[in-house]
Amino acid sequence: MIRGGEKAVTLLWALRSPCPLSCRYCYFGTIEEHRDSPVTGPGTLSHLSRNDLPAADVFAFARSIAGSAVKRVFLAGGEPLVWPPVLRLIEVLKGGGVQVVVATNGIPLNRPDLARALVDLQVDAVSVSLDSVDAAYNDAWRPARNGKDGWQQVIDGIGSLVAARGAAPAPRVGVYMVVTRHNLTDLAATGRLAADLGCDYFVPQPVALDPDHTLHRQLALTTDDLPGLGQQFAALADAQLPVWTPRASYPGQVADAVRVPTGFVRGCFGGRSLFFIEPDGSVWDCPSSLRIAATPSSRRRTILDGTAAQLFAADDGCADCPLFSVDCVNMWPLMDFDQVLSTSTGTAS
């Protein structure tokens, strides 16, 4: 939708399914489990998917974004930077007046030509996944399929991009940390590491696992973890690092999601100013697994159904939603990216 000429829509676009990492808690699931039990339901994701849209369809939709209500596109995956046409896609999006944020595991940034291209294309931000200051922990839970790449390559990739950017204002560079029961004591230290690497923002997000996930009991935060988590958020704030961090209400939102796994959220932005696109082109009101499961077949859409202006023209999404979950918490920082892009230092309140 465009309110008074203002672009107001954010797209979280899981661009492609493949990824060189095998993160054990990835929302795509793991290759190992899906090799034995392929997933087929609506909204389900898999790194083994054979249904990713052809490049021609991806580019046709991307070209339609110019002049639509879409303001910002987060390119995620899988790993978007291993898709050969990705730089051309970014060029199309930027040429259409759209802000582009790339979400990556960071390893492809070690290619000097790629890091330089992201700067030259004036990508607005690059978010890099890094889960700890402890390389052993990070690599145990985010192992590379080649058995070689890991924490050090992520650190080097961040350094490569920061160096390529130099004194240029973009891209902003940030670290996203998945917080579990095992690494929550590293939260503040990982924020300090992000600052030391020259990053501009740091977002710790709670792991989001369905209750029946095999790792839920082991990794998902519980009420017993909240005191320690609160101490870590306080230490992060007290450090006054020269990086943007989520607003002051964010730790409370995380705690609420831990205390009440499913609840009510008033004025939800899902389906109003945030939409989720899967690699097969499916469009959902938001990435919440609960919301996707509750979507009737009559509301299931795809980017093949029309242009961006047609798909995101009406404010007809969920205003109030009874399906608040930890998935929702992880979307709030996305919706605050105006602050990330407007300043490179200082925390937000």
Side-chain angles (χ1 to χ4, degrees):
M1 77 225 73
I2 299 182
R3 302 187 186 95
E6 177 190 2
K7 291 189 172 189
V9 168
T10 292
L11 300 182
L12 175 58
W13 192 351
L15 185 63
R16 313 306 285 174
S17 295
C19 183
L21 297 188
S22 185
C23 302
R24 295 168 63 186
Y25 40 69
C26 181
Y27 71 113
F28 271 72
T30 67
I31 284 181
E32 291 72 24
E33 63 182 318
H34 291 168
R35 187 178 287 123
D36 296 332
S37 303
V39 295
T40 57
T44 54
L45 296 166
S46 173
H47 291 305
L48 294 176
S49 174
R50 299 294 183 266
N51 298 320
D52 286 15
L53 286 182
D57 293 326
V58 170
F59 277 89
F61 172 71
R63 292 188 185 98
S64 80
I65 290 179
S68 73
V70 176
K71 174 181 182 178
R72 183 176 299 131
V73 177
F74 288 84
L75 293 179
E79 173 52 59
L81 292 182
V82 297
W83 190 47
V86 70
L87 295 177
R88 186 158 54 95
L89 175 63
I90 292 172
E91 185 176 13
V92 169
L93 293 172
K94 291 295 297 182
V98 178
Q99 294 177 355
V100 175
V101 180
V102 176
T104 175
N105 62 47
I107 295 171
L109 300 175
N110 286 281
R111 290 171 42 196
D113 60 323
L114 180 57
R116 182 72 253 165
L118 294 175
V119 176
D120 291 343
L121 288 168
Q122 298 183 344
V123 167
D124 295 273
V126 176
S127 299
V128 181
S129 297
L130 185 70
D131 286 354
S132 179
V133 293
D134 182 351
Y137 173 90
N138 185 85
D139 295 349
W141 291 98
R142 303 176 58 84
R145 301 193 197 285
N146 65 8
K148 299 177 182 179
D149 293 327
W151 186 91
Q152 188 59 57
Q153 286 68 37
V154 178
I155 298 296
D156 293 344
I158 293 173
S160 175
L161 181 58
V162 170
R165 178 184 64 179
R172 298 284 196 253
V173 182
V175 165
Y176 264 72
M177 173 190 182
V178 175
V179 181
T180 74
R181 302 196 72 191
H182 295 305
N183 71 340
L184 68 87
T185 55
D186 290 341
L187 190 156
T190 305
R192 287 192 291 271
L193 174 62
D196 291 343
L197 292 171
C199 292
D200 305 290
Y201 58 96
F202 171 64
V203 180
Q205 56 180 14
V207 67
L209 298 171
D210 290 336
D212 61 351
H213 193 285
T214 56
L215 294 175
H216 183 272
R217 289 176 61 86
Q218 185 177 358
L219 298 182
L221 299 173
T222 71
T223 53
D224 291 340
D225 301 311
L226 293 182
L229 189 65
Q231 292 171 4
Q232 286 295 310
F233 273 118
L236 180 65
D238 291 344
Q240 297 185 328
L241 301 172
V243 294
W244 181 93
T245 56
R247 61 179 62 198
S249 60
Y250 181 71
Q253 292 170 330
V254 174
D256 286 345
V258 171
R259 294 190 187 97
V260 184
T262 304
F264 182 87
V265 59
R266 190 173 300 281
C268 178
F269 41 69
R272 300 174 65 212
S273 52
L274 172 70
F275 295 87
F276 178 49
I277 304 175
E278 293 187 338
D280 66 357
S282 298
V283 177
W284 305 96
D285 286 348
C286 71
S288 165
S289 60
L290 296 178
R291 185 67 186 174
I292 289 174
T295 301
S297 57
S298 61
R299 279 190 57 84
R300 294 175 188 167
R301 301 180 296 166
T302 168
I303 61 175
L304 300 177
D305 289 339
T307 65
Q310 293 166 334
L311 289 167
F312 310 118
D315 188 0
D316 60 355
C318 52
D320 297 330
C321 182
L323 298 175
F324 171 81
S325 72
V326 69
D327 284 342
C328 307
V329 172
N330 291 335
M331 295 304 105
W332 263 292
L334 295 186
M335 306 308 290
D336 282 338
F337 247 71
D338 282 345
Q339 299 173 20
V340 175
L341 300 181
S342 65
T343 179
S344 63
T345 59
T347 56
S349 59

